[in-house]
Amino acid sequence: LGYLPTAHVAFLDEVFKASSSILNSLLGLLNERAFDNGSAREPVPLVTLVGASNEWPAADELDALLDRFLLVSEVRPVSARGRGVLLRAPPPAPGAGADGAPPPDSGPAPLDLSALTALREAAHARVSLCPSSRHLLL
């Protein structure tokens, strides 16, 4: 938990509803991995940013921000039938997984920063990009 300029991983909810000054700061942060804090320009350790919105951006000026996300996926609303199933489902037992099953005795470790960094380095080693595009992912 903390502030976006100090985060390695971040989640932004309703990302397209930010003010124009916040959107401009966010674009700079995503493009340059740097944050202007008053007169000082500080490096940002951001590795992964996930954004969510209940609606597609309507204004053209938001296209620049949308273009910065490498993966964009639309999640459809839960259907009326699905909503009823969710509302009737019993609450999970304490410590249970998302499917209500008891937690396994051993399982994969949470994805920490070192694992995320290793995945990123492995992807860089296996994916060929032209030099003019590679800097966009670094």
Side-chain angles (χ1 to χ4, degrees), residues 11-60:
F11 174 77
L12 298 178
D13 196 16
E14 294 300 343
V15 65
F16 299 116
K17 291 187 178 179
S19 68
S20 59
S21 62
I22 298 224
L23 291 171
N24 286 333
S25 294
L26 186 56
L27 279 172
L29 193 139
L30 293 173
N31 285 337
E32 302 162 21
R33 296 296 196 267
F35 178 71
D36 293 322
N37 189 5
S39 62
R41 187 164 191 88
E42 300 176 6
V44 174
L46 189 66
V47 175
T48 300
L49 177 92
V50 176
S53 179
N54 285 318
E55 55 199 39
W56 287 102
D60 290 340

Side-chain angles (χ1 to χ4, degrees), residues 67-115:
D67 287 345
R68 298 314 182 272
F69 290 95
L70 295 177
L71 174 66
V72 176
S73 179
E74 182 176 1
V75 178
R76 304 295 305 158
V78 176
S79 68
R81 180 180 176 276
R83 221 177 0 260
V85 170
L86 286 173
L87 291 173
R88 287 188 299 275
D99 61 357
D105 291 332
S106 64
L111 188 61
D112 61 11
L113 182 58
S114 62

